[in-house]
Amino acid sequence: MSNANARKILEAHLVEGSLDKGKDISIKIDHTLTQDATGTLAYLQFETLGIPRVKTEKSVSFVDHNTLQTDFKNADDHRFLQSVAAKYGIYFSRAGNGICHQVFLERFSVPGKTLLGSDSHTPTAGGAAMLAIGAGGLDVAVAMGGEPFQLKMPEIVGIKLKGKLQPFVSGKDIILELLRKVSVKGGVGKIFEYFGDGIATLSVPERATITNMGAETGATTSIFPSDEKTKAYFGMQKRDKEWVSMPAAKNDKDFDSVIEIDLSTLVPLIAKPHSPDNVVPVTELEGTAIDQVAIGSCTNSSLRDLMMVAAIMKGKTVAPTVSLGISPGSRQVMQQLAKNGTLGILIQSGARILESACGPCLGMGFAPPSRGKSLRTFNRNFQGRSGTEDAEVYLASPEIAAASALAGKIVDPRKLTSVSFPEIPASLHIDDGMIIPPADGSNVSVIYGPNIKPVPVAPPMPDILKIKVIIKVGDNITTDHIMPAGAEILPLRSNIPEIAKHVFERIDKTFAERAKKEQAGTVIVGGSNYGQGSSREHAAIAPMHLGVKVVLVKSFARIHEANLINFGIIPLEFADPKQADAIDVNDIIEFPSLRKYLEGGAKTQYVARDVTKKMDIPVNHHLSSRAMQLLLAGGLLNFIRNKLSK
Ligand code: MIC
Ligand code: SF4
């Protein structure tokens, strides 16, 4: 019997199905997490379920993404979220308290529990041995209503860490190495579980950097065991009582397959523009001049990371050609830096201290200059995400970032022989004053603002689908392409008709206008790993609002495919991927009796037809029987409402 921790947690939470690779399973969700940019829709949808109080053990709502507040919209969202939390029994982490994943790890994580979060980096909590999965907001809303979460049983891949990292090589380099090995789609349908003698050398924040950025491989989640290092972390957080031991599996045989990484031979790595798997050794880029350095994000903003940065910056000033921004991951980190003098060192170095929030990571301020090179400790460097379309973003460790900020060019941090490593405190001052715990909400009224609009629901699936190809895109299209974020568009997250005007605008400015004109609906044609990146369900709802009925691609990223189904858009894959090349924009594609096909359980090969090219297109799908029911019902919300009303 396998001793993989991921398997044990799934077993303990299994509601339906058997744990055979690829089979449909449903699991009980203990905790949920939302952030403001996905949370408003999640809670609007939760409200329509008519459930008086969340049914999870613990649900937490964070405000960290949309904190620029250039007008009333985000402030209204925050007020809405606070009132919803008070009404339905949800913990509320106020703006200023920090980035959801960092704060969740510090204050809420519990080894062995399940967590579902409306953010793709929810697996961060896997650093503390939680089985933490990112999902669309509607899936999280339904989990708050007590429904199990559905997924296909992933393959459990053991990542065997051997040996010990060299100085100035850290957690970021481990996950960049994995990305180099497996690529941005190598984790789809997989859980990465870390084991081996090397794990004992890594602290929880370093582990969380790894599980966080595991999302960039497309993995369902990543998880570390709970050991002495985890115990020490819970002690530091004064949460000793919540610590649970979950020793690592010992044998390769506990996993479906194993990837080995020798920590002792690992070198500092960098992901080049514009993909997190475009990884090379730092030595290959040494001397490259940079314009900007940004340190922070849910990947690398822990106390350990920022004390390391300060140790490198101490007594020195950032290069005159570089603008350095630092966003500590949480108020706890910020307070600790202030208390032990580290903040003073960072300020003295010329760093611009930014809010404890996502900020530059998703283009909320601190955009690089035109054609600027920006070196960031973040997890995504998709083109344009920084807010500057022609900027070049590099991803690296805090060690590389700090050393390079001083030099004005990329440097190998292993040359910093005179830097002494900081002593991370064993105990912290704990202050949860910015977390509002649940109380009796029976008299609370939810406060809406004028930009908060009802979430549209898909119409029932039509019998006949003869629809136009409205756009054709290539491989690895991200949700940042489909539904961009950034300072101008993010404030529209609670208003689908408005945000829908921006769908695909970075690829084709006419998309929304053209799509809306097609009364019969439209189909998107794409390449492999379509919809990688974020969990934002806006990348499904907004196209649905514009009349997209089918997305026909070579392959999907997990969360986006689930979001399409949740909002009644049919995800189909080419049986022969080469056929994608033969299809053109404006071709008419017919999907004969698709409704009947799904009603009959979709058991045989389905064949669509490009009427324009007179070409049959055999297609595959991985729709579970539940997914087919959702599509027939016009999406998950309709489906659950029907179920609850029975
Ligand atoms: C991201 O990093 O892309 C985001 C912004 O955190 C998204 C969520 C969102 O779009 O609101 C994610 O990772 O899921
Ligand atoms: Fe926030 Fe960036 Fe992390 Fe997304 S990846 S949660 S935007 S810090």
Side-chain angles (χ1 to χ4, degrees), residues 65 99 101 119 121 297-298 358 361-362 379 385:
H65 279 62
I99 304 175
H101 307 303
D119 192 281
H121 291 104
S297 91
C298 56
C358 300
C361 177
L362 76 163
N379 47 37
R385 180 175 158 102

Side-chain angles (χ1 to χ4, degrees), residues 35 37-38 65 119-121 362 380 385 493 534-536:
Q35 41 87 342
T38 55
H65 279 62
D119 192 281
S120 64
H121 291 104
L362 76 163
R380 291 187 173 142
R385 180 175 158 102
R493 283 288 181 97
S534 86
S535 71
R536 67 189 69 145

Side-chain angles (χ1 to χ4, degrees), residues 528-566:
S528 59
N529 201 24
Y530 179 83
Q532 69 158 329
S534 86
S535 71
R536 67 189 69 145
E537 57 192 351
H538 301 75
I541 309 175
M544 178 267 274
H545 177 76
L546 297 172
V548 175
K549 304 283 184 213
V550 178
V551 177
L552 175 57
V553 297
K554 293 179 186 169
S555 69
F556 286 97
R558 174 188 65 89
I559 307 179
H560 185 59
E561 183 177 22
N563 283 337
L564 291 173
I565 295 167
N566 282 352

Side-chain angles (χ1 to χ4, degrees), residues 355-435:
E355 196 178 3
S356 277
C358 300
C361 177
L362 76 163
M364 301 300 283
F366 205 71
S370 294
R371 294 193 302 282
K373 285 190 170 36
S374 178
L375 180 63
R376 301 177 158 210
T377 66
F378 304 170
N379 47 37
R380 291 187 173 142
N381 57 348
F382 306 142
Q383 184 158 17
R385 180 175 158 102
S386 65
T388 303
E389 195 58 38
D390 59 7
E392 302 207 320
V393 176
Y394 295 76
L395 306 173
S397 65
E399 288 83 347
I400 295 180
S404 305
L406 292 176
K409 57 187 183 202
I410 293 176
V411 293
D412 184 342
R414 289 172 298 181
K415 293 192 175 141
L416 303 171
T417 42
S418 61
V419 172
S420 44
F421 283 85
E423 184 98 5
I424 311 298
S427 167
L428 299 172
H429 167 69
I430 300 299
D431 165 10
D432 284 332
M434 290 291 278
I435 298 173

